[in-house]
Amino acid sequence: DDHLLRTPWHKTLIYELHVRGYTQLNPKVPEKLRGTYAGLAAEPTIKHLQNLGVTAVEIMPVHHFVNDRHLADKGKTNYWGYNSLNFFAPEPRYVATSISQDAVQQFKMMVRGLHAAGIEVILDVVYNHTAEGHQMGPTLSLRGIDNASYYRLSPKDLRYYMDFTGCGNTLNMTHPRVLQLIMDSLRYWVIDMHVDGFRFDLASTLARELFEVDRLGAFFDIIHQDPILSQVKLIAEPWDVGPGGYQVGNFPPGWTEWNGKYRDTVRKFWKGDGGLVSELATRLAGSSDLYQNDGRKPHNSINFITCHDGFSLQDFVSY
């Protein structure tokens, strides 16, 4: 009887976290559950989130991922998980047993436990690139199936990839099979795994129809027409590393965005920079300069100060 919670946006308070990092050192979580899906749904974890007033957890990537070759060569591992290989399988390294097949069941139990506590589950998903990397990377999946269809190749030399992600390759969002793969994955995580929404890593990459960022790209059209996905929480990281990639305020209706301008303004004001009172007021009042012209609302702005690729909040305050 588990179901999506559908907390209204204006009542949503999101806590970004890492499955392992959030529970690994918590002495109140049973030792065998620390660093696992089960640990995230443990009573001490949930009580802490409830005490903070959190209504949704945004979980850093849990699609099955692999270690980058340059990390493996140095004896290191990929901790964050932004290097997806399989868009349908939950990462087995977060399982509380030695049986990797238990990942699906334990993930579902985690979602059910968080839902029972009134906490939504939003997945940070990486559909902009894969773990196969650039032309010198390993052939693990899509490259071996149909390299030219799944990846954006350089028109000047098809041996090389167009890299809008900074990770070596970019998925080809202009190909119908790539769009189908991503849509099937998203539906799976909603229908079978009961997640409440998604935060799309480097979402500007998903909008690149040809070269320029086109906010009316096929990916957004398909999402809006889908009776299931159009009803869940959709959050864009509204930039990538390619030309014109910074698109804060330019995503279509139905999408919310990490508001990088809110973050930058609050940080500068907090640090003591001058001449920011007017802009700070605009950001605190909902960033109408970014969202009002196309009919969107203040809740389309995800107001944040720091996240995984910045300081921790404690470090930021200290700094």
Side-chain angles (χ1 to χ4, degrees):
D1 59 351
D2 179 69
H3 57 85
L4 305 190
L5 297 183
R6 305 195 187 283
T7 304
W9 269 120
H10 67 281
K11 294 184 178 180
T12 299
L13 179 63
I14 301 172
Y15 193 119
E16 183 194 55
L17 55 80
H18 185 283
V19 171
R20 173 157 291 171
Y22 194 67
T23 61
Q24 184 69 47
L25 300 178
N26 188 340
K28 295 183 180 180
V29 174
E31 186 172 0
K32 64 180 181 180
L33 302 183
R34 294 175 195 171
T36 70
Y37 299 121
L40 188 52
E43 184 178 0
T45 310
I46 288 178
K47 280 189 175 181
H48 179 61
L49 292 168
Q50 289 177 321
N51 289 339
L52 292 174
V54 170
T55 68
V57 290
E58 184 178 292
I59 301 176
M60 292 171 67
V62 293
H63 287 171
H64 175 50
F65 62 92
V66 296
N67 294 324
D68 314 60
R69 174 174 286 176
H70 71 276
L71 292 177
D73 290 343
K74 297 177 182 178
K76 298 182 178 181
T77 61
N78 184 317
Y79 176 69
W80 280 356
Y82 290 89
N83 210 23
S84 299
L85 179 64
N86 189 327
F87 298 136
F88 293 84
E91 175 53 52
R93 70 186 75 184
Y94 304 141
V95 176
T97 67
S98 59
I99 305 172
S100 60
Q101 291 90 331
D102 287 349
V104 172
Q105 181 185 18
Q106 291 190 21
F107 185 92
K108 289 182 176 182
M109 293 173 67
M110 175 195 74
V111 172
R112 185 175 64 184
L114 289 166
H115 280 175
I119 299 172
E120 292 183 304
V121 177
I122 298 171
L123 295 190
D124 192 339
V125 289
V126 185
Y127 293 115
N128 55 75
H129 75 281
T130 75
E132 292 187 296
H134 55 50
Q135 70 277 1
M136 300 301 291
T139 296
L140 301 172
S141 57
L142 303 182
R143 176 179 288 145
I145 297 171
D146 190 344
N147 185 57
S149 294
Y150 282 104
Y151 294 113
R152 300 285 296 271
L153 305 182
S154 171
K156 298 179 180 179
D157 190 335
L158 298 181
R159 292 179 299 171
Y160 300 99
Y161 294 96
M162 298 181 72
D163 183 9
F164 297 116
T165 66
C167 299
N169 63 57
T170 302
L171 279 183
N172 182 12
M173 301 300 295
T174 66
H175 197 285
R177 294 288 77 78
V178 178
L179 290 171
Q180 181 184 6
L181 172 68
I182 294 174
M183 295 298 292
D184 286 349
S185 171
L186 291 169
R187 290 192 193 98
Y188 169 74
W189 288 95
V190 174
I191 296 172
D192 287 86
M193 308 296 257
H194 292 193
V195 304
D196 301 89
F198 305 94
R199 178 265 188 189
F200 292 83
D201 182 67
L202 300 183
S204 292
T205 300
L206 305 177
R208 290 184 181 271
E209 287 290 287
L210 296 173
F211 183 79
E212 300 294 334
V213 176
D214 176 7
R215 77 171 197 166
L216 298 179
F219 175 71
F220 298 117
D221 290 339
I222 294 174
I223 288 276
H224 292 163
Q225 295 170 16
D226 189 277
I228 295 172
L229 299 179
S230 62
Q231 302 303 308
V232 303
K233 283 184 162 68
L234 302 171
I235 304 172
E237 181 185 34
W239 49 76
D240 64 15
V241 301
Y246 191 77
Q247 292 291 319
V248 173
N250 292 331
F251 276 71
W255 284 75
T256 61
E257 303 173 5
W258 273 23
N259 189 342
K261 293 188 176 181
Y262 179 98
R263 173 200 60 195
D264 296 343
T265 300
V266 172
R267 284 184 172 188
K268 291 176 182 177
F269 182 83
W270 198 341
K271 187 162 65 73
D273 291 2
L276 288 169
V277 172
S278 177
E279 184 175 1
L280 179 67
T282 298
R283 299 292 159 240
L284 294 176
S287 297
S288 60
D289 59 326
L290 299 176
Y291 302 108
Q292 191 171 44
N293 290 340
D294 58 3
R296 290 195 287 167
K297 303 294 184 182
H299 62 243
N300 288 109
S301 171
I302 301 296
N303 299 329
F304 73 107
I305 298 173
T306 191
C307 61
H308 64 272
D309 54 359
F311 299 107
S312 70
L313 191 58
Q314 179 176 346
D315 288 343
F316 177 66
V317 174
S318 302
Y319 169 80

